[in-house]
Amino acid sequence: MSQPKKLTFENLAHLMERRGLFTNDQLKDVLARGKSQESKLFSLRHSGISRRMRAGSDLVSPVEVLASLNIEINGVQGNLLTEDVITEALASATGLKYFKIDPLKLDLNVVTDHIPRPFALKNLIVAVGESNGVITVAVADPFNESIVNELASARRLEIKRVLSSKSDILKILREFYGFRASVLAAEAEASSTVDLGNLEQFFKLKGHQDIEGNDKHVVSAVDFLLNYAFDQHASDIHIEPKRETSLIRFRIDGVIHNIHVVPKPLHAPIVSRIKMLSRMDLAEKRRPQDGRIKTNYSNKDIELRVSTVPVAFGEKVVIRVFDPDILLQELDSMGFYPRELNLYNSFLRRPNGIILVTGPTGSGKTTTLYSSLRSLSSPEVNIVTVEDPIEMVMEEFNQIGVQQAIGVSFDSILRNILRQDPDIIMIGEIRDRETAENAVQAALTGHLVLSTLHTNDSASTIIRLLDLGVPPFLISATVLGIVAQRLVRKICPHCKKVRNLSKDECDYLQLPEKSYAVWEGEGCKECRGTGYKGRSGLFEVMDMNERLKALVSGSVELAVVVNASRQEGLVSLREIAIQKMLEGVTTYEEVISMTG
Ligand SMILES: [Zn+2]
């Protein structure tokens, strides 16, 4: 059968069947459903758009129609024929290279310089690379060669085509051209003003600040930037002034990526806009400031915590993104093993006492606390939190932020909080003796108290409480249990490969001699070459049972607590990490870096 010249639903369906993605029986069904599905999608998309206004992006492509039918590949349950799968098959059927677009690897200039936006949108093409004068463009339709040739001769370019999915191409067109257009427009307006990063100019320019941050192009550049960060699941956004430019970087799954380099004159207006959104003092540029922004992205509330710090070439901004999907999880999906989860749930069911979660910064303590509170929350329960600062605003909790500057401390809030008749109290962190004493008082007067401490493991938490001056008998009387936690990166399921643990590695982990299978990710498109995707918690849970309570005294040594808790069945963080490694959840390297 000869190659088709135009992509229709029918010849796409035949191509897929010939490539073995569905059976001949499925093909009949697909052809029958295709027509009505096509007109359904068409009317959905075109209500309200006149024919003249339609661009390529509005048209319904055969690939979209086929993907929307949710066909199971060869009838295998759950294995769906998605847009990516169809595009990849279409690429090999037409002799083009399939290209999965990774926005983080694209160069803003390459994307936006060579192809005008209207042309790109109309024909669904995007420049994805440039080397030795040859531009690589990703196209959604493999049969649009003539359009690409037209572009090549009009702009005197040498062009190579690759095939990508329409949704990937559209996403890039919207985000990159949108951000670039805003930046260029803002730059044109800002070119007459002077760089605010220079402190000497500070007073001279004071009057311009409002105009700059409010500039509509700056406003939309910041909007594009935030949406792009949410889209990429970035946990932090860094905006860093350099001598000549401003560098924008995202942290994703723990790793920093460079995203954009913006002209220096725009650094100050962008920072002003972000400060405005987070209600900071715009005129204050020499002192660090904190603020927050609450925004909405694909129907969920996202909380941003913003901080600014003056550095050599201006103000550096770091935005931490609090995604409720990450901060609030079901306790049983966080990585607990059954023994630990049962113990922890038994603490949460107690009417009063203290539950402590410990670990270094970034070990997921806040997620554990919020998720626990959420699991306890009901209309009959009054939950009060005292935090410094409030990580994420949650309507069902009554949250109070510590404000040291005006004398509102953990200690002073806790002294007054009991009048608010809480049932459950969450204290962000126990850092000092006063806070520890208040926590104990609250627990003794019938409240369930959840808090965190900055210690390495459960046993040393007891020693830390003694060091803070909490009397041993009060620790025994109030502490229900202690959770020590870490986060490890999970191996990417798409490029996971098995290997054997070497003799040295076994020795290092003190594993009994035998052969162990472990896994690691080789790096692929899905994980941006890192070999990891997502994270899992490690939880060590200490039950303060009668034996441990009896042990706590002013002179108890760490080793004694460790030994006793081990005899009572405690599984250490290291052992839990090794178990996750042997189950193929994480790698040897993560075990070593997380548990020392
Ligand atoms: Zn991978």
Side-chain angles (χ1 to χ4, degrees):
M1 195 168 166
S2 68
Q3 280 286 349
K5 290 279 176 289
K6 187 173 178 297
L7 191 63
T8 63
F9 183 78
E10 247 166 307
N11 56 41
L12 179 67
H14 281 285
L15 268 177
M16 294 299 117
E17 190 252 348
R18 282 210 301 279
R19 300 203 70 82
L21 286 166
F22 46 75
T23 59
N24 200 272
D25 282 349
Q26 280 181 308
L27 176 65
K28 289 187 195 110
D29 169 56
V30 165
L31 290 173
R33 283 158 68 204
K35 266 278 156 290
S36 65
Q37 183 71 5
E38 191 162 18
S39 47
K40 209 165 93 194
L41 286 184
F42 189 87
S43 56
L44 255 173
R45 198 166 297 174
H46 290 275
S47 56
I49 303 178
S50 80
R51 185 169 284 276
R52 265 163 33 105
M53 301 286 286
R54 288 173 198 165
S57 52
D58 303 319
L59 299 176
V60 178
S61 84
V63 176
E64 286 175 283
V65 177
L66 187 55
S68 72
L69 292 176
N70 290 323
I71 297 158
E72 288 170 338
I73 298 173
N74 279 319
V76 178
Q77 220 186 353
N79 194 9
L80 287 183
L81 197 60
T82 60
E83 195 184 351
D84 277 339
V85 176
I86 301 167
T87 309
E88 190 160 7
L90 186 59
S92 56
T94 53
L96 284 176
K97 190 173 166 256
Y98 170 68
F99 185 80
K100 173 77 189 156
I101 299 181
D102 179 354
L104 296 185
K105 297 225 169 80
L106 296 187
D107 179 336
L108 180 71
N109 294 324
V110 170
V111 172
T112 53
D113 281 358
H114 301 294
I115 307 174
R117 183 164 186 264
F119 188 88
L121 264 178
K122 176 159 179 266
N123 299 297
L124 293 175
I125 66 178
V126 63
V128 291
E130 177 173 24
S131 87
N132 304 323
V134 182
I135 311 292
T136 302
V137 300
V139 299
D141 179 351
F143 303 112
N144 67 353
E145 210 170 349
S146 60
I147 286 156
V148 175
N149 291 341
E150 223 173 83
L151 177 75
S153 65
R155 306 212 118 206
R156 296 171 192 235
L157 295 170
E158 203 178 321
I159 293 182
K160 194 180 94 187
R161 290 185 310 152
V162 291
L163 197 69
S164 297
S165 73
K166 178 176 165 183
S167 1
D168 277 5
I169 291 178
L170 272 180
K171 202 182 260 181
I172 299 303
L173 291 179
R174 294 197 178 115
E175 281 164 0
F176 278 61
Y177 283 88
F179 182 77
R180 166 47 63 98
S182 309
V183 163
L184 286 178
E187 193 184 9
E189 278 178 24
S191 59
S192 57
T193 64
V194 189
D195 179 13
L196 282 178
N198 185 341
L199 286 175
E200 289 169 35
Q201 309 273 0
F202 172 61
F203 290 104
K204 223 159 108 191
L205 283 162
K206 220 175 160 191
H208 287 285
Q209 285 152 19
D210 285 350
I211 308 161
E212 289 172 337
N214 277 328
D215 179 286
K216 66 178 190 292
H217 306 300
V218 173
V219 169
S220 74
V222 170
D223 284 351
F224 277 116
L225 188 69
L226 294 180
N227 278 311
Y228 187 33
F230 304 152
D231 225 39
Q232 298 299 318
H233 303 286
S235 59
D236 303 79
I237 305 165
H238 294 241
I239 302 170
E240 303 169 0
K242 305 290 174 197
R243 188 184 294 277
E244 310 278 347
T245 57
S246 174
L247 178 62
I248 297 176
R249 311 203 288 168
F250 292 171
R251 184 183 295 280
I252 301 164
D253 272 344
V255 180
I256 286 262
H257 299 266
N258 287 359
I259 301 297
H260 292 306
V261 178
V262 175
K264 186 63 182 282
L266 282 180
H267 179 79
I270 288 176
V271 171
S272 290
R273 172 68 188 158
I274 292 167
K275 285 168 78 173
M276 215 179 279
L277 287 171
S278 38
R279 296 160 191 264
M280 291 184 193
D281 177 357
L282 287 183
E284 178 58 79
K285 289 167 200 286
R286 283 175 291 189
R287 256 191 278 276
Q289 291 190 68
D290 289 308
R292 61 179 65 237
I293 302 171
K294 188 140 193 158
T295 178
N296 193 280
Y297 175 72
S298 63
N299 294 320
K300 57 184 182 186
D301 289 336
I302 292 197
E303 182 104 8
L304 307 175
R305 212 159 81 205
V306 186
S307 66
T308 64
V309 171
V311 294
F313 300 112
E315 278 180 290
K316 175 180 152 90
V317 175
V318 178
I319 303 173
R320 291 197 64 193
V321 182
F322 291 92
D323 183 335
D325 288 352
I326 291 170
L327 221 45
L328 282 177
Q329 298 179 23
E330 295 302 325
L331 287 174
D332 55 11
S333 68
M334 290 169 56
F336 276 104
Y337 281 122
R339 177 194 167 272
E340 280 72 24
L341 183 60
N342 285 335
L343 262 180
Y344 184 62
N345 275 324
S346 75
F347 305 156
L348 292 176
R349 281 195 296 268
R350 301 281 288 272
N352 60 298
I354 301 177
I355 301 169
L356 294 167
V357 180
T358 81
T361 306
S363 56
K365 296 183 298 248
T366 308
T367 299
T368 305
L369 287 189
Y370 275 169
S371 305
S372 305
L373 292 180
R374 167 60 80 78
S375 81
L376 293 170
S377 119
S378 75
E380 305 84 57
V381 180
N382 182 11
I383 298 176
V384 178
T385 76
V386 190
E387 303 168 71
D388 181 19
I390 294 170
E391 296 260 338
M392 192 171 107
V393 178
M394 309 275 306
E395 267 175 44
E396 57 259 72
F397 311 156
N398 303 291
Q399 295 170 291
I400 308 169
V402 167
Q403 289 172 281
Q404 290 294 356
I406 57 167
V408 182
S409 62
F410 269 122
D411 175 37
S412 65
I413 296 170
L414 284 168
R415 268 185 272 127
N416 293 302
I417 210 176
L418 297 180
R419 291 183 211 137
Q420 297 268 324
D421 188 29
D423 299 297
I424 299 167
I425 302 170
M426 189 265 255
I427 302 171
E429 190 184 345
I430 295 178
R431 287 177 210 163
D432 51 39
R433 180 182 183 146
E434 290 72 27
T435 308
E437 279 171 356
N438 284 310
V440 166
Q441 276 312 314
L444 287 174
T445 50
H447 304 92
L448 187 65
V449 179
L450 282 77
S451 189
T452 71
L453 259 137
H454 211 85
T455 52
N456 280 330
D457 55 40
S458 48
S460 53
T461 306
I462 305 238
I463 307 296
R464 175 85 182 117
L465 287 174
L466 290 166
D467 288 347
L468 283 173
V470 182
F473 76 97
L474 286 181
I475 296 178
S476 301
T478 56
V479 177
L480 302 170
I482 302 169
V483 178
Q485 84 169 88
R486 297 288 187 280
L487 286 176
V488 285
R489 289 190 287 168
K490 289 200 281 191
I491 301 172
C492 167
H494 304 278
C495 58
K496 195 168 172 176
K497 285 274 161 349
V498 70
R499 69 172 178 96
N500 273 315
L501 210 56
S502 75
K503 170 128 193 1
D504 285 352
E505 290 168 336
C506 285
D507 288 349
Y508 193 79
L509 295 176
Q510 296 170 328
L511 287 172
E513 202 159 322
K514 75 176 229 225
S515 113
Y516 297 95
V518 292
W519 285 262
E520 54 199 15
E522 288 187 310
C524 68
K525 290 172 223 159
E526 299 289 336
C527 60
R528 310 176 196 289
T530 59
Y532 293 98
K533 210 168 184 198
R535 298 201 270 182
S536 171
L538 308 177
F539 299 91
E540 167 189 298
V541 180
M542 181 194 268
D543 179 16
M544 278 298 278
N545 60 16
E546 293 311 317
R547 173 162 176 210
L548 284 167
K549 283 180 183 170
L551 260 184
V552 182
S553 72
S555 59
V556 70
E557 282 177 25
L558 181 60
V560 175
V561 182
V562 171
N563 281 334
S565 62
R566 304 280 297 166
Q567 283 165 14
E568 295 294 309
L570 179 130
V571 186
S572 73
L573 273 173
R574 167 61 73 96
E575 288 164 328
I576 286 167
I578 291 172
Q579 195 174 341
K580 295 245 165 180
M581 174 187 77
L582 295 176
E583 287 171 0
V585 175
T586 194
T587 61
Y588 172 79
E589 285 72 23
E590 282 289 286
V591 173
I592 298 301
S593 79
M594 282 304 142
T595 63

